[in-house]
Amino acid sequence: MTRFTWWLMSKLPIVQTAERGAYPEVMCATEDGLEQRALYGPTGRMEMVGPVGRGRLEPYAYDKETMVRLWARSEVETGFHRAV
């Protein structure tokens, strides 16, 4: 059953190679001139497939109060607290 599932997934456009999957991270780590606080990933249908480029972020992603609340929640949920 596992082999069949992997075979089926490899035929669908929802799966890609590890190399293609890592490309956004490699691009962000090595390319010059990328915008800070931007999302880079697939730019195709629903930003889930397609060529890598600058994606769209929702307005609340830039909201300082939301960022602070998300960070605090992440620290609680993970048990990790950054040293100040």
Side-chain angles (χ1 to χ4, degrees), residues 2 13-16 18 31 38 56 64 72 74-75 78 80:
T2 302
I14 61 170
V15 177
Q16 61 187 354
E31 297 258 342
R56 184 179 67 82
K64 182 68 173 178
S74 298
E75 285 184 339
T78 63
F80 176 81

Side-chain angles (χ1 to χ4, degrees), residues 2-23:
T2 302
R3 286 183 183 178
F4 173 74
T5 302
W6 282 110
W7 176 83
L8 182 60
M9 287 177 58
S10 71
K11 304 300 179 200
L12 300 173
I14 61 170
V15 177
Q16 61 187 354
T17 65
E19 181 180 343
R20 289 188 65 190
Y23 185 72

Side-chain angles (χ1 to χ4, degrees), residues 56-63:
R56 184 179 67 82
L57 287 173
E58 298 294 334
Y60 57 80
Y62 298 103
D63 180 54

Side-chain angles (χ1 to χ4, degrees), residues 42-82:
T43 58
R45 184 179 63 240
M46 295 174 48
E47 294 186 348
M48 297 179 79
V49 297
V52 174
R54 187 174 186 280
R56 184 179 67 82
L57 287 173
E58 298 294 334
Y60 57 80
Y62 298 103
D63 180 54
K64 182 68 173 178
E65 181 181 330
T66 301
M67 288 183 222
V68 169
R69 286 186 14 239
L70 177 60
W71 187 268
R73 175 70 181 259
S74 298
E75 285 184 339
V76 169
E77 295 297 327
T78 63
F80 176 81
H81 299 282
R82 73 176 165 181

